[in-house]
Amino acid sequence: MKHRFHQQHFVQAWKTVRALKGFWLLGPVVALIGSASVFDYVLSALHTLRVWQQNPLFGSGAWQTLANAPVGLQIMLMFALVLLALVMLVVQGAIVRGLFAHKRTRVQIHDAFAHGIKRLRATVGITILTLALLGIILTLAFALLHMLVSYNPTWNAALNIMVYTFSGIAIFFLFSVELLALNLALGANKPATDAIGIAIELARRHPVLILEHNVILALIYAASVVVITLIILALLIPFALPFFSIVLTVPSLPSWMSLVPMALLALGGWIALGIITLYNYATWAELTHRLLRAPRLSSRLVHTARTYIPLFR
């Protein structure tokens, strides 16, 4: 018997995204929060740890500039950042709700936004808890790297590999649980505490299945970004050359006109990236649905082992 779990839910996720074209415009906004690709989050977090390790002051120049700014400006900036974060979380909630509920009923954008606002407290709670735990993981890893540092290069290399590996695994399951919890809290409308508990239980029961999901999703996401980049580069010269020629031949035109084609291509790339991010969220909605319906579902790796290795049957 063939194991078609991943094939089915990745294909179904794309069908969901195609059906909800009204949500495509929200994709670029939610892309500013994150790609919903866990490996992307892990790499970003480990890069932050690397920056901390190389510069213990955490690149404090920008923070010093902000600290020296007038108090009124600091308050305005903080208020603007908090307001922007809340708006993005509402958009994220609307997208999760629309994608998750699509299997039962077609949710309109305004209904999804109303639900995102209604469940904003749950979204904020799950997000803050995730960021707090991420901060603890990175701080502990940073402390270990500095406390156990040695003059022996071999020991330092082994220590770095060990700390980065365990940190990466912890961050991987942290963000996997977060994405499952968001679908349960916003899509299935469960209380935030229950959603987190169920998400942890799902991650505990299906670690290999979730790993397989994330590997496939990371490959799809990376390939999509490469394709978008190649398309933009292929269009850049033929699309931008006429603008450069016009600006050079007509002196009365402002020089910034030559940047118009690059700006348009960048905008198109951002919109395409938003649709890919929407698809990533759709795969998590589909994964959550399937794990809830089939709690004893085995991973592709376990299924293959049971099929071909008698010891695992």
Side-chain angles (χ1 to χ4, degrees):
M1 180 175 152
K2 293 185 178 180
H3 187 281
R4 297 184 178 276
F5 173 79
H6 295 300
Q7 178 184 345
Q8 290 172 353
H9 91 263
F10 276 100
V11 171
Q12 183 58 45
W14 177 242
K15 291 180 179 178
T16 299
V17 172
R18 283 173 50 189
L20 298 177
K21 292 183 176 64
F23 285 79
W24 286 14
L25 293 177
L26 302 180
V29 179
V30 81
L32 297 175
I33 299 176
S35 61
S37 174
V38 170
F39 277 109
D40 190 32
Y41 295 160
V42 172
L43 291 176
S44 298
L46 293 182
H47 174 70
T48 301
L49 177 59
R50 185 65 177 169
V51 171
W52 288 8
Q53 189 180 2
Q54 293 176 343
N55 181 11
L57 295 178
F58 311 153
S60 58
W63 292 106
Q64 287 180 349
T65 302
L66 180 60
N68 294 330
V71 177
L73 179 60
Q74 294 180 16
I75 295 174
M76 288 177 60
L77 286 174
M78 292 299 295
F79 178 78
L81 288 174
V82 170
L83 183 61
L84 180 62
L86 291 176
V87 170
M88 288 185 176
L89 289 177
V90 169
V91 173
Q92 183 188 43
I95 285 176
V96 171
R97 174 61 177 174
L99 294 172
F100 190 91
H102 179 69
K103 294 185 74 69
R104 299 191 305 268
T105 180
R106 193 159 189 168
V107 179
Q108 300 297 324
I109 291 183
H110 63 275
D111 293 330
F113 264 106
H115 188 81
I117 294 172
K118 179 182 177 181
R119 300 290 292 159
L120 180 59
R121 188 169 61 176
T123 312
V124 171
I126 293 172
T127 302
I128 290 177
L129 179 60
T130 302
L131 293 178
L133 292 174
L134 175 63
I136 291 172
I137 294 170
L138 293 179
T139 302
L140 289 175
F142 175 74
L144 282 173
L145 289 170
H146 278 267
M147 284 192 304
L148 303 179
V149 69
S150 168
Y151 291 105
N152 188 328
T154 304
W155 164 248
N156 281 335
L159 174 66
N160 274 268
I161 292 172
M162 181 179 65
V163 172
Y164 274 83
T165 300
F166 282 104
S167 299
I169 293 171
I171 295 167
F172 172 86
F173 282 102
L174 172 64
F175 280 108
S176 296
V177 168
E178 183 206 19
L179 288 165
L180 290 171
L182 285 173
N183 276 280
L184 291 165
L186 302 172
N189 207 26
K190 295 184 179 296
T193 52
D194 292 349
I196 294 171
I198 297 171
I200 292 173
E201 181 63 18
L202 290 176
R204 187 189 66 81
R205 287 184 182 180
H206 307 282
V208 180
L209 191 65
I210 291 173
L211 175 62
E212 291 173 352
H213 168 87
N214 281 299
V215 169
I216 296 171
L217 185 59
L219 293 174
I220 294 174
Y221 180 68
S224 302
V225 171
V226 169
V227 170
I228 291 173
T229 303
L230 292 175
I231 291 175
I232 290 175
L233 291 176
L235 294 176
L236 184 60
I237 294 177
F239 190 53
L241 192 59
F243 280 84
F244 282 118
S245 302
I246 294 173
V247 170
L248 290 174
T249 54
V250 183
S252 60
L253 291 177
S255 58
W256 59 263
M257 286 287 293
S258 60
L259 300 177
V260 170
M262 287 184 283
L264 291 176
L265 288 174
L267 178 62
W270 181 35
I271 293 173
L273 186 63
I275 295 174
I276 295 170
T277 303
L278 203 64
Y279 171 73
N280 293 349
Y281 274 97
T283 65
W284 279 101
E286 191 65 28
L287 176 67
T288 307
H289 270 296
R290 289 178 177 266
L291 291 181
L292 291 174
R293 289 202 308 267
R296 297 185 181 275
L297 187 68
S298 64
S299 67
R300 177 63 182 267
L301 183 63
V302 173
H303 176 81
T304 303
R306 288 174 178 172
T307 303
Y308 297 103
I309 305 175
L311 180 64
F312 289 94
R313 292 176 184 171

